[in-house]
Amino acid sequence: MANENESTVETKNLPGQSHYVSETDETGLGAVDAVADDRAPSSMWGEAWKYLRKRPLFWVAAAIILFAIMLAAFPSLFTSVDPKFCELKNSYGKPSMGHPFGFDRQGCDIMARTVYGARASVIVGILTTVVVVLIGGTFGTLAGFFGGWLDSFLSRITDIVFAVPFLLAAIVVMQMFRENRTIFTVVLVLAVFGWPQIARITRGAVMQTKNEEFVNAAKALGESKIRIILRHIVPNAIAPMIVYATVALGTFIVSEATLSFLGVGLPSDVVSWGGDISRAQSALRQNPSVLFYPAGALALTVLSFIMMGDVVRDALDPKARK
């Protein structure tokens, strides 16, 4: 009789052939199927970061955005030339040592104006986005959570403002501030007409979140409505707001450039990309580089925010990846 530990058993049915039997596996099914459950479950933000850090598009957009913020915050690190120092003898001068982009019609250094122009455009975009998120987020949260007459009232206000053409309204209102136009004036005007979209997005996200089980559990425990909104509703409904805010920031930068291009935005003594593009349009044929640098910086910055918004949307909303 063959030993049980032998792995080879001769078969009588087929002479000259061997039947191979694997050794007995002593590992039980429980050990094979066991899953370590001592780790804390990953949060939405943790899963989003795992997705983002593997996306080259995220790193490219983040690098460009960081560079634009550095230009706005520390322009003297990139150029030592005063952007407002102009000499007519350098009008449309060619690139030279210390002036790699050349000069514009007034003899101003194009590189210095491009670098310092980032400050006004980026500041307007960031401040407008913050104000828009606060106004639209508050309106949308209150309307979505409480519902009833408050929802109807806030929704009608949102519809009225939303029906007004955004850029046209900003142009008309900015005409009222011809003598006193500053960065904060532009931010205020853009924010007044730019919040309805995020209010709608926030309202829908809050209405979906407030029916979740953890919200009902918080209500059963006797938590106040303000605490439920701040602790449970907003953190779980903020994802679509972040996605929209990222894309809207680029949109507000373009809006500021458009207003400055039309002469109703920032005053002429403030260096901005929109103002430089407006002044460069007369030299488009004979010296297109005067227009290329501020327009290229504006386009690249806005594109980076749009790319960031797309990749953040995919990270926070797995269904959007399909």
Side-chain angles (χ1 to χ4, degrees), residues 274-291:
D276 287 351
I277 293 173
S278 177
R279 285 187 288 269
Q281 60 181 333
S282 60
L284 183 58
R285 292 186 177 181
Q286 61 268 30
N287 197 351
S289 62
V290 179
L291 176 66

Side-chain angles (χ1 to χ4, degrees), residues 133-278:
V133 169
L134 291 177
I135 298 176
T138 301
F139 275 39
T141 301
L142 295 176
F145 182 78
F146 290 100
W149 68 268
L150 183 61
D151 181 20
S152 300
F153 176 72
L154 295 178
S155 296
R156 297 297 77 78
I157 295 178
T158 302
D159 293 340
I160 292 173
V161 180
F162 189 77
V164 179
F166 170 69
L167 192 57
L168 179 60
I171 293 173
V172 173
V173 175
M174 285 300 299
Q175 294 285 355
M176 302 169 56
F177 300 96
R178 289 185 177 182
E179 304 299 329
N180 187 20
R181 288 181 298 181
T182 64
I183 289 179
F184 298 102
T185 305
V186 177
V187 169
L188 179 61
V189 172
L190 293 178
V192 166
F193 298 101
W195 61 267
Q197 184 65 34
I198 197 169
R200 286 185 168 188
I201 294 174
T202 304
R203 176 179 176 272
V206 170
M207 292 182 66
Q208 182 179 2
T209 305
K210 74 175 184 179
N211 296 320
E212 298 292 340
E213 294 181 358
F214 59 86
V215 176
N216 295 329
K219 292 180 180 179
L221 291 175
E223 293 189 10
S224 64
K225 293 182 179 180
I226 299 299
R227 184 178 177 84
I228 292 175
I229 291 175
L230 297 179
R231 187 175 180 180
H232 301 287
I233 298 295
V234 173
N236 289 278
I238 200 172
M241 298 171 59
I242 293 177
V243 174
Y244 175 79
T246 305
V247 179
L249 201 155
T251 303
F252 293 134
I253 292 177
V254 173
S255 300
E256 179 276 324
T258 303
L259 294 176
S260 298
F261 176 82
L262 296 175
V264 295
L266 297 176
S268 58
D269 60 337
V270 177
V271 182
S272 66
W273 288 334
D276 287 351
I277 293 173
S278 177

Side-chain angles (χ1 to χ4, degrees), residues 20 24 53-54 71 89 95 131 150 161 201 211 244 272 277 303 308:
Y20 295 94
T24 304
R53 66 186 182 185
K54 298 178 182 179
L71 286 178
K89 65 179 182 180
V131 177
L150 183 61
V161 180
I201 294 174
N211 296 320
Y244 175 79
S272 66
I277 293 173
L303 178 62
M308 180 63 73

Side-chain angles (χ1 to χ4, degrees), residues 6-178:
E6 292 181 356
S7 60
T8 305
V9 179
E10 298 293 338
T11 59
K12 296 182 179 180
N13 295 333
L14 299 175
Q17 297 185 5
S18 300
H19 179 63
Y20 295 94
V21 181
S22 63
E23 297 181 358
T24 304
D25 187 3
E26 299 297 337
T27 304
L29 293 177
V32 174
D33 297 336
V35 178
D37 56 356
D38 54 345
R39 295 184 304 172
S42 298
S43 63
M44 177 184 67
W45 304 108
E47 293 295 332
W49 171 242
K50 290 180 181 179
Y51 176 81
L52 288 174
R53 66 186 182 185
K54 298 178 182 179
R55 302 287 294 177
L57 187 63
F58 167 76
W59 294 110
V60 172
I64 299 175
I65 292 174
L66 180 60
F67 183 70
I69 294 176
M70 289 292 293
L71 286 178
F74 310 103
S76 59
L77 295 178
F78 302 91
T79 180
S80 59
V81 180
D82 185 359
K84 298 182 181 180
F85 178 76
C86 308
E87 291 183 331
L88 288 177
K89 65 179 182 180
N90 295 327
S91 180
Y92 295 135
K94 300 297 182 181
S96 59
M97 183 64 65
H99 310 281
F101 294 172
F103 299 87
D104 61 8
R105 183 178 181 180
Q106 301 296 327
C108 305
D109 184 72
I110 297 178
M111 179 178 176
R113 294 192 65 86
T114 302
V115 171
Y116 278 86
R119 173 172 292 180
S121 299
V122 173
I123 288 177
V124 168
I126 293 176
L127 292 181
T128 305
T129 302
V130 171
V131 177
V132 163
V133 169
L134 291 177
I135 298 176
T138 301
F139 275 39
T141 301
L142 295 176
F145 182 78
F146 290 100
W149 68 268
L150 183 61
D151 181 20
S152 300
F153 176 72
L154 295 178
S155 296
R156 297 297 77 78
I157 295 178
T158 302
D159 293 340
I160 292 173
V161 180
F162 189 77
V164 179
F166 170 69
L167 192 57
L168 179 60
I171 293 173
V172 173
V173 175
M174 285 300 299
Q175 294 285 355
M176 302 169 56
F177 300 96
R178 289 185 177 182

